């Protein structure tokens, strides 16, 4: 049997996106391993599905804005709804929020800095008590995480195999994924298991610290 060119461990939204873009780039035969239902495990299964661009690092914000285009294109197929998103700050953090909003605009993200009175015009049912400022993203909203992951996998046309991965190892014959059901080898293995990534790579030193 011909080995897959790439095996992606994890069928959450990140693993599904990796598989989608690998397939689109002509990476060969891409196989995705998932222990349960695609899109229903790990962080994707527990996600609230917020589609927003307000992230502390400009690179993350720019990546989120780029990803936003896919949600606008796929719309209801990904369970996407544009509702707007507002990050609120108290009076003691208003100046800090203003600086961050300016950084986001520098990264190409459309964001408006609103006063409490302006925020009431956007959301008249909200009390402005204690609010110093709000960073409002008119193009943000929410999507269905599981549906998004499955849509990516379907669009990629890749094979999804039920497999409970326990470890990823290298060797003379190339990398392989090991689990109770046996072994899956490939030319390349991409681990997209979220906070479980470190546990799949014995001996690897990764600066990952999962937290609630």
């Amino acid at each position: 049997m011909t080995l897959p060119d790439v095996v992606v461990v994890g069928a959450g939204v990140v693993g599904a996106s990796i598989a989608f873009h690998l397939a689109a780039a002509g990476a060969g035969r891409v196989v995705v391993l998932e222990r349960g239902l695609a899109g229903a495990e790990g962080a994707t299964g527990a996600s609230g599905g917020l589609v927003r661009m307000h992230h502390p690092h400009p690179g993350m914000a720019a990546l989120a804005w780029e990803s936003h285009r896919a949600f606008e294109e796929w719309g209801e197929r990904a369970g996407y709804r544009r509702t707007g998103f507002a990050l609120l700050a108290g009076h003691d953090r208003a100046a800090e929020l203003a600086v961050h909003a300016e950084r986001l605009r520098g990264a190409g993200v459309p964001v408006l800095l609103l006063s409490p009175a302006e925020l009431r015009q956007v959301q008249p049912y909200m009390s402005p008590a204690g609010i110093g400022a709000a960073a409002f993203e008119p193009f943000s909203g929410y999507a269905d995480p599981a549906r998004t992951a499955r849509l990516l996998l379907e669009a990629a046309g890749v094979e999804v195999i039920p497999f409970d991965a326990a470890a990823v190892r290298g060797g003379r014959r190339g990398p392989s994924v090991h689990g109770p059901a046996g072994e899956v080898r490939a030319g390349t293995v991409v681990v997209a298991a979220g906070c479980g990534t470190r546990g799949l790579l014995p001996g690897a030193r990764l600066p990952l610290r999962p937290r609630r």
Side-chain angles (χ1 to χ4, degrees):
M1 181 178 178
T2 304
L3 294 179
D5 295 285
V6 184
V7 163
V8 179
V9 181
V13 74
V14 173
S17 179
I18 291 170
F20 173 82
H21 287 92
L22 283 172
R29 183 184 171 214
V30 179
V31 172
V32 179
L33 306 182
E34 178 56 75
R35 64 184 177 185
L37 182 65
E41 303 291 326
T44 298
S47 173
L50 292 180
V51 178
R52 64 185 179 92
M53 276 60 74
H54 206 106
H55 295 279
H57 192 284
M60 293 175 62
L63 183 60
W65 177 238
E66 183 70 22
S67 301
H68 171 266
R69 299 178 185 179
F71 286 106
E72 288 284 355
E73 178 183 347
W74 287 339
E76 183 56 32
R77 288 187 294 163
Y80 173 67
R81 288 192 63 189
R82 185 199 291 182
T83 60
F85 173 85
L87 183 69
L88 311 180
H91 296 283
D92 59 331
R93 303 289 293 275
E96 181 182 343
L97 183 63
V99 171
H100 190 54
E102 185 60 34
R103 288 175 181 167
L104 289 173
R105 284 192 289 267
V109 178
V111 57
L112 306 173
L113 190 69
L114 304 182
S115 67
E118 292 170 328
L119 180 63
R120 282 293 299 273
Q121 295 178 10
V122 175
Q123 179 51 271
Y125 301 104
M126 178 178 291
S127 169
I131 299 175
F136 179 65
E137 303 172 14
F139 294 100
S140 295
Y142 65 89
D144 185 315
R147 196 189 304 182
T148 300
R150 291 194 290 269
L151 179 62
L152 283 162
L153 292 170
E154 180 182 339
V158 299
E159 183 180 3
V160 181
I161 299 176
F163 190 89
D164 188 3
V168 177
R169 299 190 178 98
R172 294 180 179 178
R173 298 185 300 167
S176 58
V177 185
H178 297 258
E183 175 189 30
V184 178
R185 293 195 293 125
T188 302
V189 174
V190 180
V191 181
C195 62
T197 295
R198 190 169 62 172
L200 294 177
L201 300 170
R205 295 183 178 181
L206 300 176
L208 300 176
R209 298 290 185 272
R211 66 178 183 182
R212 292 187 180 275

